C-alpha cells in the first residue's frame, strides 16, 4: 500500500513538472525529488537495493540536462548523489556531484562545493578499490574502463587550472593509485610525471638546487615516491635511483636533519641500494648522514647511534670498512664505567663478545664478558636483548675463558655457576629450561668436590621433584637425555655419599628410593641381565644391608631371587648369561648370602633338568616356562663364583650339568 502511494504521487508530480521548466516550477521539482528520496529509503529498508538504484538512475536522467538557479534543488541533487554512492552507483554519483559542485562554485557557494569535492574524492577512491577487485576476480573490463574514464576526466580537469589546490592533489593521487593498483606502470609513470609538473616542477626538471614545494610538500613527496616505485616495478634502476636521490636532496635542503620526511627519503634510498646489493653506495649514504647527525645532533643522539649500528653491521657483513671501529665507538660514547653497560650499547657489546671470542683476544673478551655479566645480573629488568639464548652463550664463553685461558680456581668457577643459576631464577623463573639446565650443571660441578656432594644431591632432587610433579607440557622443556642424566647422576651421588660408614639412616632410605626407581627404569629399558642394571642392583643390596633390619634382609633375598629367575627365563645369549652370572654371584658373596644362593641354584637345577622341584621347598620357586640348556651358562658361572674353589673349573661344573641332564 505504501509503495503504491509513493508511485502514484511520483507520477502525478512528474506530470506537473513537465509543465513547469522555469523557475516558477522549482517547488514542484523539489517536492518530486523529496518523494523519490523517501521512496528510495523505503526500498532500501525492504532490502530492494537494485530497485532503489533504478529509481535513482531514473530521477537523474530526468534532471541531468535541466538548468535551475535553485540552491535547494542542487542540495537535493547532492543528496541523490550520496544515495547513489550508497547503492554502489559510483560512476553516476560522481557525475551528479560534479554537476552540483560546478553550480555551487559558479554561485560562490564554496562551503557546499568543498563538501561535494570531498564526497567526489571518497567516491573516486571507492571506484578505484572496486575496479581493482573487479579486475582481480573477473575478466570483465567494463567497470574498469568506466572508472578510468571518470578518474581520468577529474585528473585532466584539475590540471587545466592555474592554481594547485587540495582538489588537484587528490585527483592526481587518485589516478596514480588507480594505475598502480592495476599494475599499469607505464600509465602510472605518465600520470605521476604530469602531476609533478604541476605540483613540484623542480623534481622533474634536472639541474639546480632542489627543494620541497611551499605547498603540499608531503603530498608532493608521496607522488614522487610513487613515480620512483613505478620505475622500480619496471626494473628501471637508474631512473628510480635518480628520483630517490632528488627527493633525498630536496628533503635535506628543506628539512631539519631529524625530520621524518628526510629520514624516510634517506631510508628508501638505502633500501633501493640494498635491494640491488650496491653496498658501497649504501655505506657512503649512511656515512654522509652520520656526519650530519654528529654535527647537528651530537654523538649520543639516538639517530647517531642507530646509524653507527647500521654502518657497523654493513661493514662487518660486506667487508667495506671495519665494523669493529663503529661498535667500539658506540661503547665509548655510551659507556658509564667498567661495571655498567648502557641499554643502547648492548648490541655493540654483544658483537664485541662474539668478535673477541672468535679472534681469540682473551683479555679483551674477559673485560667485555665481565661488563655484560654484571649488567645482566644487576639490571636485567628492561634489558630485552638479554634473551635466554644470549645469556647461555655469554655464560659458556665466560666460563670457557676463565677455565681454559685465565685458569681460575675451582671456587671461582663454582661461584660463577651459582651466580648464573640465581640470576636465571630471578629473570626466567625456576621452571624455565635454562634454569633447569643451569641447576643440573651446578650439581655436576659440585660433585667434583667431596664437601659439595650433599648440595649436588639437593640440586638433583630439586630437578627430580620438578619432573615428577609437573605436567607433560611443563616437563617438555627438559629433554629426555637431561632427565635420564639427572637420574643417573643422582644415583652416583648417593652411591658416593653412602660409601661412608657415618651415613645416616634417613639418607640411606632416600638413596634406596632413588636407586630403586633407577633400577626399575633400567630393567625396562636395558633388561634384567644388563651390566648396568645389575650394578645398580648391587648398590641397592648394599644399601639395604647397611640398614641392618630383618625386613631389609628379606627384601634383598626377594630381589636376588627375582633377578635370578628373570635372567634365566628371559636371556638367551650365552655371553650375556655368563657376565650376569658372574655379577649376581659377586652380589650373593658380598652380602653373605652364599648358602641362600646355593639353595636357589639347587632348586633351579632340579626344576630345569627334571621338571619338578623339591617337595615343600621354602623358596617357592616354580618356573612357568620351559628353560633351555643355555641357562646352564648362568647357573654354572653363578655356582663357580659362589664356591670360590679354584680347584674346580668352569668346564667341570658345566660337564656335571650336561651329564645329569642327558642321563635324566
Amino acid at each position: 500500500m505504501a509503495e503504491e502511494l509513493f508511485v502514484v504521487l511520483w507520477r502525478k508530480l512528474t506530470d506537473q513538472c513537465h509543465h513547469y521548466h522555469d523557475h516558477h516550477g522549482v517547488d514542484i521539482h523539489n517536492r518530486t525529488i523529496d518523494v523519490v528520496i523517501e521512496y528510495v529509503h523505503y526500498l532500501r529498508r525492504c532490502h530492494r537495493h537494485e530497485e532503489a538504484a533504478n529509481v535513482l538512475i531514473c530521477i537523474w536522467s530526468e534532471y541531468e540536462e535541466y538548468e535551475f538557479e535553485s540552491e535547494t534543488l542542487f542540495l537535493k541533487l547532492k543528496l541523490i548523489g550520496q544515495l547513489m554512492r550508497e547503492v554502489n552507483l559510483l560512476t553516476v554519483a560522481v557525475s551528479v556531484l560534479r554537476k552540483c559542485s560546478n553550480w555551487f562554485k559558479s554561485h560562490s557557494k564554496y562551503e557546499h562545493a568543498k563538501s561535494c569535492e570531498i564526497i567526489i574524492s571518497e567516491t573516486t577512491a571507492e571506484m578505484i578499490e572496486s575496479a581493482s577487485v573487479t579486475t582481480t576476480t573477473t575478466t570483465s573490463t567494463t567497470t574498469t574502463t568506466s572508472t578510468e574514464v571518470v578518474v581520468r576526466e577529474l585528473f585532466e580537469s584539475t590540471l587545466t587550472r592555474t592554481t594547485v589546490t587540495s582538489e588537484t592533489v587528490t585527483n592526481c593521487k587518485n589516478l596514480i593509485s588507480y594505475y598502480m593498483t592495476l599494475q599499469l606502470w607505464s600509465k602510472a609513470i605518465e600520470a605521476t610525471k604530469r602531476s609533478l609538473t604541476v605540483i613540484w616542477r623542480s623534481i622533474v626538471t634536472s639541474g639546480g638546487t632542489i627543494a620541497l614545494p611551499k605547498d603540499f610538500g608531503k603530498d608532493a613527496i608521496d607522488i614522487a615516491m610513487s613515480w620512483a616505485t613505478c620505475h622500480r616495478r619496471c626494473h628501471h634502476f637508474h631512473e628510480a635511483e635518480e628520483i630517490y636521490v632528488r627527493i633525498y636532496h630536496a628533503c635535506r635542503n628543506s628539512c631539519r636533519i631529524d625530520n621524518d620526511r628526510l629520514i624516510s627519503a634517506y631510508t628508501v634510498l638505502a633500501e633501493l641500494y640494498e635491494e640491488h646489493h650496491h653496498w658501497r653506495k649504501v655505506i657512503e649514504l649512511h656515512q654522509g648522514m652520520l656526519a650530519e647527525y654528529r654535527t647537528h645532533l651530537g654523538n649520543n643522539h639516538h639517530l647517531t647511534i642507530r646509524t653507527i649500528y647500521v654502518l657497523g653491521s654493513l661493514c662487518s657483513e660486506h667487508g667495506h670498512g671495519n665494523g669493529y671501529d663503529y661498535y667500539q665507538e658506540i661503547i665509548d660514547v655510551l659507556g658509564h664505567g667498567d661495571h655498567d653497560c648502557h641499554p643502547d650499547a648492548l648490541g655493540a657489546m654483544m658483537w664485541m663478545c662474539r668478535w673477541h671470542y672468535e679472534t681469540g683476544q682473551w683479555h679483551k673478551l674477559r673485560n667485555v664478558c665481565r661488563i655484560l655479566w654484571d649488567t645482566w645480573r644487576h639490571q636485567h629488568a628492561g634489558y630485552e636483548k638479554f634473551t635466554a639464548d644470549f645469556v647461555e652463550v655469554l655464560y659458556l664463553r665466560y666460563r670457557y675463558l676463565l677455565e681454559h685461558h685465565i685458569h681460575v680456581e675451582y671456587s671461582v668457577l663454582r661461584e660463577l655457576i651459582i651466580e648464573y643459576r640465581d640470576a636465571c631464577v630471578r629473570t626466567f623463573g625456576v621452571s624455565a629450561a635454562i634454569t633447569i639446565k643451569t641447576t643440573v650443571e651446578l650439581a655436576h660441578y659440585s660433585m667434583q668436590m667431596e664437601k659439595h656432594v650433599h648440595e649436588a644431591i639437593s640440586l638433583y632432587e630439586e630437578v627430580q621433584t620438578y619432573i615428577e610433579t609437573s605436567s607433560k607440557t611443563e616437563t617438555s622443556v627438559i629433554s629426555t637425555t637431561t632427565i635420564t642424566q639427572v637420574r643417573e647422576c643422582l644415583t652416583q651421588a648417593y652411591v658416593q655419599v653412602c660409601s661412608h660408614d657415618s651415613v645416616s639412616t634417613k639418607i640411606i632410605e632416600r638413596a634406596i628410593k632413588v636407586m630403586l626407581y633407577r633400577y626399575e627404569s633400567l630393567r625396562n629399558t636395558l633388561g634384567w641381565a644388563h651390566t648396568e642394571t645389575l650394578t645398580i642392583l648391587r648398590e641397592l643390596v648394599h644399601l639395604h644391608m647397611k640398614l641392618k633390619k630383618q625386613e631389609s634382609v628379606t627384601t634383598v633375598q626377594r630381589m636376588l631371587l627375582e633377578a635370578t629367575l628373570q635372567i634365566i627365563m628371559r636371556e638367551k645369549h650365552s655371553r650375556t648369561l655368563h657376565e650376569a652370572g658372574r655379577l649376581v654371584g659377586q652380589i650373593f658373596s658380598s652380602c653373605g648370602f652364599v648358602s641362600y644362593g646355593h639353595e636357589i641354584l639347587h632348586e633351579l637345577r632340579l626344576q630345569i633338568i627334571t621338571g619338578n622341584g623339591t617337595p615343600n621347598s621354602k623358596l617357592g620357586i616354580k618356573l612357568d616356562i620351559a628353560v633351555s640348556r643355555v641357562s646352564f651358562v648362568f647357573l654354572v658361572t653363578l655356582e663357580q663364583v659362589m664356591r670360590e674353589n679354584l680347584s674346580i673349573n668352569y668346564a667341570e661344573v658345566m660337564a656335571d650339568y650336561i651329564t645329569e641332564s642327558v642321563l635324566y
Side-chain angles (χ1 to χ4, degrees):
M1 188 66 179
E3 182 175 8
E4 186 178 344
L5 289 174
F6 278 125
V7 173
V8 171
L9 190 56
W10 181 18
R11 174 176 287 183
K12 287 183 178 181
L13 289 172
T14 302
D15 289 341
Q16 292 184 39
C17 287
H18 291 160
H19 295 90
Y20 299 98
H21 287 188
D22 55 16
H23 63 280
H24 298 292
V26 168
D27 289 340
I28 299 297
H29 291 284
N30 281 329
R31 290 172 189 168
T32 303
I33 295 175
D34 286 338
V35 170
V36 170
I37 289 172
E38 290 302 322
Y39 185 29
V40 169
H41 286 322
Y42 169 79
L43 291 172
R44 294 187 68 198
R45 285 196 299 272
C46 297
H47 304 289
R48 294 159 63 183
H49 301 293
E50 256 188 69
E51 294 177 55
N54 292 335
V55 171
L56 290 169
I57 291 173
C58 288
I59 197 68
W60 170 239
S61 63
E62 190 76 26
Y63 288 96
E64 185 175 7
E65 303 299 332
Y66 280 24
E67 296 295 336
F68 296 96
E69 294 300 321
S70 169
E71 180 182 349
T72 305
L73 190 140
F74 275 99
L75 287 172
K76 293 184 185 299
L77 285 178
K78 176 189 171 187
L79 183 55
I80 292 291
Q82 290 175 285
L83 287 171
M84 287 179 169
R85 177 187 174 191
E86 291 174 8
V87 297
N88 209 31
L89 294 174
L90 302 179
T91 304
V92 187
V94 170
S95 300
V96 176
L97 293 166
R98 286 181 65 186
K99 182 179 180 70
C100 296
S101 176
N102 292 336
W103 190 90
F104 289 134
K105 287 178 183 177
S106 64
H107 292 76
S108 302
K109 307 293 182 180
Y110 297 114
E111 186 177 348
H112 293 318
K114 184 177 180 181
S115 175
C116 287
E117 294 298 335
I118 292 173
I119 300 172
I120 289 172
S121 298
E122 293 173 352
T123 307
T124 306
E126 289 181 22
M127 291 172 63
I128 294 170
E129 184 179 354
S130 177
S132 171
V133 173
T134 303
T135 305
T136 304
T137 57
T138 69
T139 57
S140 172
T141 59
T142 304
T143 304
T144 304
T145 304
S146 62
T147 302
E148 181 178 2
V149 169
V150 172
V151 179
R152 187 90 193 187
E153 284 179 0
L154 291 170
F155 173 77
E156 297 292 349
S157 66
T158 54
L159 290 187
T160 58
R161 300 172 189 172
T162 56
T163 58
V164 178
T165 64
S166 59
E167 181 188 351
T168 307
V169 174
T170 300
N171 289 332
C172 289
K173 293 178 79 172
N174 280 339
L175 182 62
I176 294 166
S177 175
Y178 171 76
Y179 285 138
M180 291 182 70
T181 301
L182 300 182
Q183 300 184 14
L184 301 173
W185 306 119
S186 298
K187 289 187 176 183
I189 289 172
E190 177 204 357
T192 51
K193 191 171 183 179
R194 289 185 61 192
S195 301
L196 290 169
T197 303
V198 174
I199 300 170
W200 189 10
R201 179 177 292 273
S202 59
I203 197 171
V204 179
T205 58
S206 58
T209 302
I210 188 171
L212 293 177
K214 293 181 180 179
D215 300 317
F216 307 107
K218 182 180 182 304
D219 295 302
I221 292 174
D222 290 342
I223 294 173
M225 287 288 188
S226 298
W227 188 21
T229 300
C230 293
H231 279 296
R232 287 177 73 175
R233 295 296 180 269
C234 293
H235 306 290
H236 301 159
F237 169 76
H238 295 292
E239 289 81 353
E241 178 189 18
E242 185 179 359
I243 296 167
Y244 283 135
V245 169
R246 289 183 191 175
I247 297 171
Y248 167 67
H249 286 153
C251 293
R252 183 66 193 91
N253 294 330
S254 305
C255 304
R256 286 173 50 88
I257 194 67
D258 57 349
N259 186 275
D260 289 340
R261 296 179 187 179
L262 174 58
I263 294 172
S264 176
Y266 138 69
T267 302
V268 171
L269 179 58
E271 288 173 353
L272 176 71
Y273 288 143
E274 289 177 7
E275 180 184 331
H276 292 272
H277 307 294
H278 291 190
W279 303 115
R280 189 174 296 280
K281 287 187 176 182
V282 180
I283 292 172
E284 289 173 356
L285 176 65
H286 287 300
Q287 286 174 336
M289 287 301 294
L290 178 60
E292 297 285 353
Y293 287 151
R294 283 171 172 160
T295 302
H296 298 283
L297 302 177
N299 291 332
N300 59 354
H301 193 273
H302 72 92
L303 289 176
T304 307
I305 298 301
R306 186 180 72 179
T307 307
I308 297 175
Y309 266 118
V310 172
L311 281 166
S313 175
L314 287 169
C315 291
S316 60
E317 289 179 13
H318 303 289
H320 298 279
N322 189 357
Y324 178 91
D325 295 337
Y326 288 110
Y327 289 116
Q328 187 61 54
E329 180 182 352
I330 294 171
I331 295 170
D332 294 340
V333 168
L334 298 178
H336 296 295
D338 291 339
H339 301 288
D340 186 28
C341 179
H342 191 279
D344 292 338
L346 278 177
M349 289 292 284
M350 290 174 177
W351 188 91
M352 284 295 190
C353 181
R354 179 174 60 84
W355 171 265
H356 291 320
Y357 178 79
E358 292 176 352
T359 55
Q361 301 182 48
W362 307 117
H363 289 286
K364 290 183 179 180
L365 177 63
R366 183 180 188 180
N367 186 51
V368 171
C369 285
R370 180 170 51 81
I371 293 173
L372 284 172
W373 188 259
D374 291 341
T375 302
W376 175 59
R377 287 177 53 225
H378 301 136
Q379 305 180 39
H380 52 270
Y383 284 70
E384 290 79 7
K385 290 186 179 180
F386 279 120
T387 62
D389 290 339
F390 174 75
V391 168
E392 185 174 8
V393 170
L394 173 62
Y395 160 72
L396 291 173
R397 288 174 180 170
Y398 198 15
R399 178 178 171 177
Y400 172 80
L401 168 73
L402 295 175
E403 188 172 5
H404 297 284
H405 295 281
I406 308 300
H407 304 293
V408 298
E409 296 179 353
Y410 170 88
S411 60
V412 176
L413 282 177
R414 187 170 179 276
E415 185 61 31
L416 176 72
I417 304 173
I418 292 172
E419 290 177 357
Y420 179 41
R421 180 177 180 272
D422 292 343
C424 283
V425 171
R426 290 195 310 271
T427 309
F428 306 111
V430 293
S431 61
I434 186 173
T435 306
I436 294 170
K437 190 173 181 180
T438 308
T439 303
V440 174
E441 184 157 358
L442 176 58
H444 287 348
Y445 202 70
S446 298
M447 284 289 293
Q448 296 181 20
M449 293 288 286
E450 184 72 27
K451 62 181 180 179
H452 298 307
V453 173
H454 286 281
E455 184 179 347
I457 290 175
S458 298
L459 292 168
Y460 284 132
E461 287 184 335
E462 181 182 324
V463 178
Q464 175 90 351
T465 302
Y466 173 78
I467 295 170
E468 292 174 352
T469 58
S470 301
S471 64
K472 289 185 178 180
T473 305
E474 293 172 328
T475 313
S476 62
V477 301
I478 316 173
S479 67
T480 305
T481 304
T482 302
I483 294 173
T484 304
Q485 186 182 32
V486 166
R487 288 167 177 164
E488 182 179 348
C489 292
L490 184 57
T491 303
Q492 292 173 356
Y494 270 122
V495 169
Q496 184 174 341
V497 169
C498 294
S499 62
H500 303 292
D501 295 334
S502 59
V503 63
S504 67
T505 302
K506 185 177 180 180
I507 291 178
I508 294 174
E509 289 174 347
R510 282 164 55 192
I512 289 173
K513 182 180 178 181
V514 170
M515 288 191 191
L516 184 59
Y517 186 92
R518 176 74 176 155
Y519 176 56
E520 291 172 352
S521 176
L522 290 174
R523 282 183 347 205
N524 294 330
T525 55
L526 302 180
W528 291 81
H530 195 276
T531 302
E532 192 171 347
T533 306
L534 295 176
T535 301
I536 297 298
L537 174 62
R538 180 186 62 199
E539 299 300 335
L540 261 176
V541 167
H542 289 166
L543 288 174
H544 276 293
M545 296 305 293
K546 276 181 174 286
L547 292 175
K548 298 178 181 179
K549 297 179 181 179
Q550 182 56 44
E551 60 181 293
S552 297
V553 173
T554 304
T555 301
V556 168
Q557 290 178 339
R558 177 183 54 78
M559 292 174 66
L560 290 174
L561 175 59
E562 182 184 22
T564 304
L565 291 175
Q566 293 296 330
I567 290 171
I568 65 171
M569 286 192 294
R570 293 172 181 269
E571 188 55 52
K572 305 300 178 185
H573 296 86
S574 56
R575 183 167 183 174
T576 304
L577 286 167
H578 175 77
E579 183 64 20
R582 185 182 66 81
L583 291 173
V584 173
Q586 289 175 353
I587 296 172
F588 274 108
S589 300
S590 63
C591 63
F593 288 155
V594 173
S595 60
Y596 179 68
H598 281 298
E599 288 180 30
I600 295 173
L601 272 176
H602 175 73
E603 185 65 23
L604 289 175
R605 179 174 181 176
L606 187 61
Q607 287 196 30
I608 292 172
I609 295 174
T610 67
N612 297 310
T614 304
N616 302 319
S617 173
K618 296 180 180 180
L619 295 175
I621 298 175
K622 184 171 177 60
L623 297 176
D624 297 327
I625 61 174
V627 179
S628 64
R629 291 181 183 179
V630 72
S631 61
F632 289 169
V633 175
F634 173 81
L635 298 176
V636 169
T637 306
L638 178 60
E639 182 175 347
Q640 188 183 24
V641 171
M642 288 192 298
R643 277 186 179 184
E644 297 181 354
N645 188 349
L646 299 178
S647 61
I648 302 175
N649 58 34
Y650 179 89
E652 291 177 352
V653 178
M654 177 61 77
D656 289 343
Y657 272 77
I658 295 174
T659 302
E660 187 176 350
S661 175
V662 171
L663 291 175
Y664 183 82

